[in-house]
Amino acid sequence: MLPRRILPYFFALSASLAGTAWAAPAAVATPPAIAFFQHAAIHRVALSPDARYLAVRAGAPDRKDYLAVIDLATNKPTVVAAFDDADIDDFEWVNGTRLVFDLTEKNTGQGDVRHGPGLYAVDRDGQHFAQLADRYFDSASRHELIGKVPMQPWNTFLIRQRPRKDDMIYVSRPIWDAGDEHLYTDLVRLNTRTGHAQTIPRPGPVTSWLLDHEGEPRLATAVKDGRMTIYYRDPADQDKWRTLAQFAAYTASEGAFSPVSFGPDGTLYVAAHNGHDTEALYAYDLKAGKLAAEPLLVTRGYDFTGSLVKSRTKLLGALITTDARSNEWFDPGMKALQDKLDKLLPATVNLIDVPADDSPWVLIRSYSDAIPMRYTLYNTATDQFNDIGSSRPAIDPKRMGRQQMVRYKARDGLEIPALLTLPRGANKNLPMVVLVHGGPWVHGAVWGWDPDSQFLASRGYAVLEPDYRGSTGYGFRHYQAGWKQWGRAMQDDVADGTRWAIAQGYADPKRICIAGASYGGYATLMGLVNDPDLYKCGVDWVGVTDINLMYTGAWSRESDLTDQWKAYGMPELIGDRVKDAAQLKATSPIEQAARITQPVLLAYGGVDRRVPLYHGQKFYDAVTKTNRNVEWIEYPEEGHGWHLPKNSVDFWTRVEAFLDKNIGPGGGR
């Protein structure tokens, strides 16, 4: 391996903008909370289509995030966009010359946001800057023009797309009714230099769009009356959409599939069960309307979850999620490159991003359980590395916990995957936090550095994260086993995992706390109800406290759950308010609050629209009638989770004190 060429100008630029160079602080026994919960130093990195330039969104704790472009021939960076009152958020290469981006306010709470994301375009040298979409919610303020063309309204959003040869992009425009119900999403073709726009005709109440290999809209998905319809537009007849498939939107049915992407030759690839328990990646015959006879990729024991990796001319492989995120290559040359890089960078999982056009440069995103994402460029012709930097330079991997994927049997025999994180240098008879993921219909436990679990491990706590039944990614049987099992079998899976950790000697049975957010907060409260001898305390943030309240919202702030989901999804997957009334009462933390005697820490956001503040307040009022050992935290400006680092630090510092008081102190410091 040749010596690394660091990007000296880029780091000098970062130091100049931040007022200090990016450098990890001197080693300390316990890393400070801010090291875990500060916004990432490098948020996103993307090669230009020809890989001659690298775009980086970066920032510093006391500076707004900016967008820089680095000329890889000279390593010279140019800041092409920076704002005094906002941070660069997402960005895309429009083509080899031009970029498009939007804005956020990373240090503004959700309740204090006064602007939309806007939309802007700029050349890679910082020239020909143009504002394409307004940031003001009041459409009457759209007075600024590009020439004589008015800007797009605030509800214009950037979508992920491959670079093109021209200056056009597609943007999405969600439309809501007066009651804030999402009606449909328009797709708009937008010229990033002139501002001229054209709305694509919709085949129905479309909620999502898929662009093809040429960057043109080819699939549209609509949900109505509990049914999902996938429409297809033939390239030969751009004005006509036809129904490609239709099936139940929220429960799997015969012939169901999920579009993944179009290949470089126009082939559609989808994820489908096709009679099997787990989903695989298939080519889909658009003319015949059926799957290929054999799958292209099977991730055994897991549903195919991921995206395609491709150049303009060739399908190279896929980025997949199993126990961890990794590449699976179809192309022999990419397989050989992966093997070579894994030998050169043996301490990490190394994900490879390729540019759209042929080039010797590739982008490597490296991570491990103890190492946050790190970005590196590699030149396959010269064997040279350009080290871009770490997303979290203040984290010392030597002080992080180590993770392992484990599996245990639930009481009915179902195998439950889980992620176990242990403090560095300790693995037996530890105080433990059972961290329950939200969703609940997501793939929760994925190996890799995570701020929540690593913060707890740095304080001496073991962390167990079960992918209880109902979690996705492990096949239909595992998913369906969780239907209507809130507070029941889903809850038992978490308890069985806790007992497994005790039996294996990892956890001290007298020092175990359960914790989680959203559904995880619900599971925390029901864990204290169902298994009072197992859990000594509970930490619930933004947690559901009553299933019926999810249907009705709250007095001052309505839930953001859609009417479609409430009418067709929730009755089947969670419980029907009429048919399952007794079950919903028995599994309501509010109704069962008197049974909770353990210490509880509750935290809610004042502008949460998924679990409105009233839900938490109502539970607090119920539980404190019989339990005085309840702590309440309210962040008025936060929504469904903590956006501001100051609130994350405050919350987890309080969690640390709460745990140390009830099951600690941690033994790994």
Side-chain angles (χ1 to χ4, degrees), residues 486 522 544-551 570 574-575 584 587-588:
W486 285 41
Y522 168 89
V544 173
T545 61
D546 182 270
I547 294 171
N548 279 311
L549 284 179
M550 295 174 65
Y551 280 101
M570 287 177 60
I574 303 178
L584 299 190
T587 56
S588 164

Side-chain angles (χ1 to χ4, degrees), residues 469-496:
R469 69 190 68 205
S471 302
T472 59
Y474 302 98
F476 183 73
R477 177 170 172 257
H478 193 86
Y479 167 56
Q480 189 181 40
W483 294 5
K484 292 191 177 183
Q485 294 302 313
W486 285 41
R488 305 171 79 192
M490 292 168 73
Q491 198 68 48
D492 293 340
D493 291 347
V494 177
D496 292 343

Side-chain angles (χ1 to χ4, degrees), residues 276-306:
H276 300 280
D277 182 53
T278 56
E279 287 187 316
L281 180 68
Y282 287 87
Y284 188 90
D285 188 327
L286 290 163
K287 292 183 178 180
K290 63 180 183 180
L291 302 172
E294 297 295 330
L296 177 64
L297 177 60
V298 176
T299 48
R300 298 197 181 280
Y302 302 88
D303 294 314
F304 172 82
T305 305

